[in-house]
Amino acid sequence: MENAYIPFPSKVLDVIKHTDIEYTFRLEFTGDVKPGQFFEVSIPKFGEAPISVSGIGDHYVDLTIRRVGVVTNEVFEKYVGDSLLLRGPYGNGFDVDLYNDGETVVVAGGTGVSPVRGVIDALSQSADPQNKVCDCWL
């Protein structure tokens, strides 16, 4: 049984720049993860920071990160092919199946969209037209 408190290396597969201070890091990950969960991103000698999962794919997770401090400044020094240390995923996450019956309204702003993006993605791919997502921006 693996120790959930020991960080493991994860290869940076892609870096997507959104703004000067907000990037999405696509990291190699094989395992169970739900929308709304988070990873602890560790940088030796700098610390660690909790970062929400903003995307889930086959053998990868996306972490959208805002550059705001010591740890996140160091994360922004990583490029495709480099590795980050992760612990997790932690948290209960969202059970997307609970949203299949009825209408769902998701309200979030800025990088606060990251933890709910997986729910939005799942509902937008639903076969039920009642569950289709309307992208509305104010």
Side-chain angles (χ1 to χ4, degrees):
M1 184 170 157
E2 293 182 34
N3 186 334
Y5 298 105
I6 296 177
F8 57 89
S10 180
K11 184 177 176 182
V12 178
L13 302 174
D14 197 8
V15 178
I16 303 155
K17 180 179 178 179
H18 303 291
T19 70
D20 287 341
I21 63 167
E22 295 163 333
Y23 288 17
T24 294
F25 291 81
R26 180 160 289 168
L27 300 167
E28 193 171 63
F29 179 75
T30 302
D32 294 328
V33 62
K34 290 183 185 177
Q37 289 188 301
F38 70 96
F39 285 91
E40 289 286 346
V41 176
S42 302
I43 307 268
K45 300 181 183 178
F46 292 93
E48 66 181 7
I51 307 293
S52 296
V53 172
S54 60
I56 302 167
D58 291 333
H59 307 294
Y60 73 84
V61 292
D62 288 341
L63 304 180
T64 300
I65 301 173
R66 178 177 283 168
R67 186 179 200 148
V68 293
V70 174
V71 176
T72 55
N73 284 340
E74 283 303 310
V75 170
F76 273 55
E77 298 299 318
K78 299 296 183 181
Y79 302 96
V80 173
D82 290 342
S83 289
L84 288 169
L85 294 175
L86 302 180
R87 289 191 303 122
Y90 297 116
N92 293 325
F94 296 105
D95 184 354
V96 178
D97 292 334
L98 294 175
Y99 307 109
N100 284 335
D101 297 325
E103 295 180 20
T104 303
V105 176
V106 177
V107 178
T111 53
V113 171
S114 293
V116 296
R117 182 173 167 232
V119 173
I120 295 167
D121 287 345
L123 293 176
S124 68
Q125 296 171 17
S126 173
D128 184 348
Q130 185 174 355
N131 288 335
K132 292 296 179 186
V133 174
C134 170
D135 289 327
C136 303
W137 299 96
L138 300 176

